[in-house]
Amino acid sequence: MSAHADVRHAPGPVGGAFFTPGVKIVAVVAGIGALAIVYRLAFGLGAATNLNDGYPWGLWIAFDVVTGTALACGGYAMALLVYILNKGQYHPLVRPALLTSAFGYTIAGVSVVLDVGRYWLLWKVPLYFWHWNLNSVLLEVALCIMAYTMVLWIELSPAFFERGVTAETPWIRRVSERGLPFMKKALVWVIALGLLLPTMHQSSLGSLLLLAGPRLHELWNTPLLPLLFLVSCVGMGYAAVVMEGALASSVLKRRPEREMLAGLGQAILPVLGLYLVLRLGDLVWRGQLGALFAFDLYSVLSLIEIGLFIAAPLMLATERQRADMGNLFRAAMVLVLGGALYRFDVYLVAFNPGAHWSYFPSVGETLVTAGLVSLEVLGYVMIVKYFPILTGRAPEARAPILART
Amino acid sequence: MGISRRSALKAMASVTATSAVSAISARPAAAAEAPADAVGMLYDTTLCIGCKACVVACADANDRERDTAWSEGKWQAPVDLNQHTRNIIKLYVDGPTRSFVKQQCMHCIDPACVNACMLGSLQKREFGIVTYEASLCTGCRYCQMACPYNIPKFEWTKAFNPKISKCELCNHRLAEGKEPACCEVCPREAVIYGTRADLLAEAHRRLEAHPDRYVPKVYGEFDAGGTQVLYLSHVPFEQIGLPDIGPRSVPETQRSLQHGIYQWFAAPVALYGVLAAVMLRHRAKQGNETAGNADGGQP
Ligand code: SF4
Ligand code: SF4
Ligand code: SF4
């Protein structure tokens, strides 16, 4: 476990000015999103969205919640690798993964508040336990996601405490000094929760649509939905960590953790292998190969989706391929696209309420989603600049610039 | 640096085992039966003349705004069920064959909407009627995703306090000893109200008396696990918007899977224990190897 003690891999704040030109652009998008949110709250869902009685769930659920939390499975996937498979050398990637996960889940939570029609009653969901409908998969998903979002921020708290012990305000220092050793002791139990909860709700995000069974296209209508969602979210988690690692290092001018990211590229392989066996095996088992090659809209979309899941491992097959950062990044992106398409397919394409219904996200919905994603980016940049999240030293040439702050 | 394929697969398996094993061992739950006091309606396409008196009566009885959107404010003419319209008459035309059909909540015996609803806002309450309690509704619209008949509608135009709107079998009228408004007003008795048992007997009596007139089936007797609103028709049911769902109730697949996995919450608790145990073991080992490194798996 030498990696832990290795100072080169110790996390530290990135430092530097916050309002770089890039950050300003992202802030503008977030601002426009905020206006769209005000519009939705003032004028209601009918005015702000293209949702309708045929397609009651749209972009916010399919993207922000279902795809967003799958992409936010980096924390989950990394915890599996580091704490369960005991690959301690990947430890430096855990914190950044947890941070993106925490933001991903928090943003998903905000989307849910905007999406439900009666958000002022949401507090009843966790508290009115005597009314809980234990048959409702949505209840399980809601409770799990609420709990997991909290768990993620708790898992991340040592990063804040580490910074806090050097704070000038006495009470912050005191809390941080007490918090650090406490977290060290409690961590195993918190991490175990952080592994259990996503296992539950990521699979349940697949189970949700089983209830729409009679109106779900046969290519996606399988009792394996929960398992397919679970396995693919682990792959998407690794892919997200790879993309985030590569992006953060290039945008924030850090040296990327090349070997570790390449190792993740390898970790993706068995996961995708399992996914493909399940997905294709299920289609064969249920006799849907004919539908798969019918070349109608459904068949084409499934083929693209499965094709992306096949392309990703092909791009990661050899050590040479994985060592090439550009290729690694592209493969991760292919996988993320595949996983996102699979989720859109299940939630929006496979779901067919009848020929006279149609749905395409409105401008308002899109602006809100773009705004929330931007908010996530802003939060991420802000936190890595001031708190010890990222490892990977700054290249020497940059050191004086950083030293100025 | 690399991760051995075997150990990675093993870990994936350990995490997914819970759901996989339970998915396979999931037992089909016993089919639900209609409550003893179940009431319902019987609609007969051969009797309906499409006067739409029931559409107007339904809106009146349930304090719904008139849906005049299609005629730009001139007359009530809903084009489908929507937030103002809990009951609609549609005309199905296919060459010389034509049939009216009435659409409203089917009051399923094992309703998908009820299964979906987090706090039981939608529930089978008295007489097996599926009713709505707004104070428990978050407006999540999962009921809309779930209902195989596209029945629950959402008040999209309201920014504040939008509700789900659906036929509740006029339970407020039943409490006053009256019939559902649509049944009371129908001049042809094309839709009648009664206990489910009586209506089923009446439907079979009609089928026997006029085998030439009907498709030989009472829709809702077994469909989707059985419904409390029943249909007789002279054209195939799928063509008038009553899908062939089979006798299995809609929530059954999901519920048996979910119950398999979460029975007594045993699997999640066990998984939690296993995960923590694995980590504690790693940590103990690691402590022996690198004494003095206090980092012990700190994120
Ligand atoms: S028809 Fe739809 S809304 Fe009515 S009880 Fe059945 S599932 Fe619920
Ligand atoms: S919209 Fe309301 S009634 Fe429908 S499932 Fe959600 S909470 Fe229940
Ligand atoms: S029972 Fe009442 S609410 Fe239902 S369709 Fe008839 S009139 Fe409308």
Side-chain angles (χ1 to χ4, degrees):
Chain A
M1 294 296 110
S2 61
H4 288 179
D6 193 335
V7 284
R8 285 181 309 152
H9 292 296
V14 173
F18 178 66
F19 275 107
T20 59
V23 164
K24 279 183 196 152
I25 297 175
V26 177
V28 170
V29 180
I32 298 173
L35 292 180
I37 289 175
V38 170
Y39 185 80
R40 177 263 173 263
L41 293 176
F43 297 99
L45 286 166
T49 73
N50 281 346
L51 296 171
N52 53 61
D53 283 323
Y55 287 95
W57 286 358
L59 181 72
W60 292 343
I61 297 295
F63 182 78
D64 301 22
V65 178
V66 181
T67 308
T69 61
L71 287 173
C73 275
Y76 171 52
M78 288 312 298
L80 268 181
L81 190 62
V82 171
Y83 301 111
I84 299 303
L85 289 184
N86 205 20
K87 302 286 176 193
Q89 66 269 35
Y90 291 96
H91 199 257
L93 295 182
V94 171
R95 251 187 212 179
L98 283 175
L99 182 61
T100 28
S101 297
F103 272 114
Y105 271 87
T106 307
I107 293 301
V110 175
S111 293
V112 167
V113 174
L114 296 174
D115 186 84
V116 300
R118 306 167 62 79
Y119 47 86
W120 60 91
L121 294 184
L122 273 176
W123 60 271
K124 289 185 177 177
V125 175
L127 295 184
Y128 273 32
F129 55 88
W130 61 96
H131 280 294
W132 281 353
N133 170 13
L134 297 180
N135 284 331
S136 171
V137 178
L138 191 63
L139 176 73
E140 187 224 314
V141 169
L143 294 177
C144 258
I145 288 189
M146 284 181 200
Y148 185 53
T149 309
M150 270 187 286
V151 165
L152 278 168
W153 288 108
I154 294 173
E155 281 184 281
L156 210 51
S157 64
F160 300 112
F161 292 149
E162 275 168 30
R163 165 87 195 212
V165 290
T166 64
E168 264 155 40
T169 328
W171 72 264
I172 296 185
R173 237 188 1 253
R174 225 173 314 121
V175 169
S176 303
E177 276 160 7
R178 296 227 181 107
L180 264 181
F182 174 78
M183 278 308 296
K184 210 163 268 184
K185 275 196 219 108
L187 211 65
V188 165
W189 304 100
V190 179
I191 296 173
L193 257 189
L195 285 165
L196 174 71
L197 294 172
T199 311
M200 288 168 64
H201 66 250
Q202 284 297 331
S203 56
S204 292
L205 283 172
S207 314
L208 272 183
L209 267 270
L210 284 176
L211 201 51
R215 299 188 291 162
L216 216 55
H217 192 277
E218 279 306 318
L219 279 170
W220 292 275
N221 187 6
T222 161
L224 285 189
L225 271 177
L227 206 51
L228 285 165
F229 268 66
L230 180 62
V231 177
S232 60
C233 90
V234 175
M236 288 166 80
Y238 288 130
V241 175
V242 168
M243 290 180 69
E244 183 235 296
L247 277 177
S249 59
S250 89
V251 173
L252 299 169
K253 310 276 189 293
R254 315 274 286 183
R255 197 164 294 166
E257 303 277 10
R258 286 174 187 280
E259 287 163 12
M260 289 186 208
L261 298 183
L264 288 189
Q266 192 179 4
I268 287 174
L269 294 178
V271 179
L272 288 194
L274 180 59
Y275 176 83
L276 284 169
V277 167
L278 289 170
R279 179 85 168 98
L280 296 172
D282 168 68
L283 289 174
V284 174
W285 178 257
R286 293 187 301 109
Q288 294 299 328
L289 282 188
L292 183 60
F293 293 105
F295 296 107
D296 53 4
L297 173 74
Y298 303 104
S299 127
V300 170
L301 281 169
S302 327
L303 286 173
I304 296 178
E305 167 206 312
I306 294 170
L308 290 168
F309 272 102
I310 293 176
L314 289 182
M315 293 168 76
L316 296 169
T318 69
E319 204 142 327
R320 270 252 315 282
Q321 285 173 306
R322 294 192 295 269
D324 173 353
M325 279 298 282
N327 174 64
L328 189 62
F329 184 82
R330 284 189 295 274
M333 206 155 81
V334 165
L335 172 51
V336 162
L337 282 178
L341 183 59
Y342 176 61
R343 282 157 174 76
F344 271 82
D345 279 351
V346 171
Y347 272 77
L348 294 176
V349 178
F351 179 73
N352 184 1
H356 58 299
W357 296 105
S358 66
Y359 168 77
F360 194 83
S362 72
V363 176
E365 283 171 272
T366 318
L367 288 178
V368 168
T369 295
L372 290 178
V373 172
S374 305
L375 202 65
E376 189 174 346
V377 172
L378 288 182
Y380 179 90
V381 172
M382 175 128 46
I383 288 187
V384 298
K385 291 214 167 175
Y386 301 114
F387 295 94
I389 304 286
L390 289 182
T391 64
R393 305 135 293 158
E396 273 71 37
R398 295 281 165 180
I401 299 176
L402 289 177
R404 270 196 308 219
T405 52
Chain B
M1 200 76 202
I3 301 143
S4 96
R5 184 164 303 217
R6 225 185 84 241
S7 63
L9 274 176
K10 221 165 61 193
M12 272 313 297
S14 80
V15 172
T16 55
T18 342
S19 47
V21 169
S22 339
I24 293 160
S25 64
R27 299 155 297 117
E33 276 189 20
D37 58 351
V39 297
M41 300 191 287
L42 170 64
Y43 172 77
D44 187 331
T45 60
T46 66
L47 297 176
C48 179
I49 51 169
C51 70
K52 301 186 181 175
C54 59
V55 178
V56 179
C58 175
D60 283 346
N62 293 289
D63 280 330
R64 298 281 98 191
E65 217 174 274
R66 312 253 155 228
D67 178 2
T68 57
W70 181 82
S71 64
E72 287 165 347
K74 296 198 191 74
W75 61 82
Q76 184 180 358
V79 291
D80 205 341
L81 293 178
N82 55 37
Q83 64 186 85
H84 309 302
T85 313
R86 298 181 178 188
N87 169 41
I88 194 166
I89 297 290
K90 290 178 179 174
L91 175 63
Y92 158 78
V93 189
D94 180 17
T97 324
R98 42 171 47 203
S99 170
F100 290 104
V101 64
K102 182 177 185 295
Q103 280 182 357
Q104 76 297 306
C105 175
M106 303 289 285
H107 298 280
C108 306
I109 290 173
D110 182 8
C113 61
V114 167
N115 203 80
C117 191
M118 290 191 283
L119 295 179
S121 161
L122 285 172
Q123 231 169 70
K124 266 183 111 58
R125 295 192 171 91
E126 226 187 339
F127 309 121
I129 299 171
V130 177
T131 55
Y132 173 73
E133 171 51 53
S135 69
L136 296 173
C137 170
T138 60
C140 70
R141 309 185 297 279
Y142 190 26
C143 51
Q144 295 194 285
M145 292 293 290
C147 170
Y149 300 103
N150 266 321
I151 298 303
K153 299 297 170 206
F154 182 73
E155 295 181 329
W156 297 99
T157 56
K158 291 195 186 162
F160 193 73
N161 210 11
K163 293 179 188 148
I164 289 289
S165 175
K166 70 177 268 301
C167 156
E168 297 176 75
L169 213 72
C170 284
N171 64 331
H172 59 295
R173 288 173 54 92
L174 299 183
E176 296 165 5
K178 295 186 203 152
E179 288 196 348
C182 55
C183 299
E184 186 187 78
V185 81
C186 182
R188 299 264 299 160
E189 297 193 340
V191 58
I192 55 174
Y193 165 78
T195 67
R196 185 172 188 267
D198 287 351
L199 294 172
L200 208 49
E202 169 64 13
H204 281 288
R205 194 193 61 72
R206 289 186 199 176
L207 280 182
E208 254 165 59
H210 308 282
D212 51 319
R213 203 183 276 173
Y214 297 106
V215 174
K217 166 178 162 171
V218 183
Y219 190 97
E221 182 171 11
F222 303 112
D223 301 78
T227 57
Q228 290 179 211
V229 175
L230 305 166
Y231 283 75
L232 285 174
S233 172
H234 62 286
V235 300
F237 290 105
E238 302 92 84
Q239 292 177 348
I240 53 171
L242 292 167
D244 181 12
I245 296 174
R248 204 177 149 87
S249 85
V250 173
E252 213 171 285
T253 309
Q254 189 200 48
R255 201 169 41 214
S256 56
L257 199 71
Q258 207 68 5
H259 281 194
I261 299 173
Y262 292 105
Q263 188 92 68
W264 301 306
F265 222 64
V269 171
L271 182 59
Y272 182 68
V274 170
L275 290 167
V278 169
M279 277 186 283
L280 287 173
R281 228 189 72 206
H282 290 330
R283 182 187 261 195
K285 255 204 225 152
Q286 190 174 302
N288 293 341
E289 280 166 22
T290 56
N293 175 11
D295 190 30
Q298 177 101 350

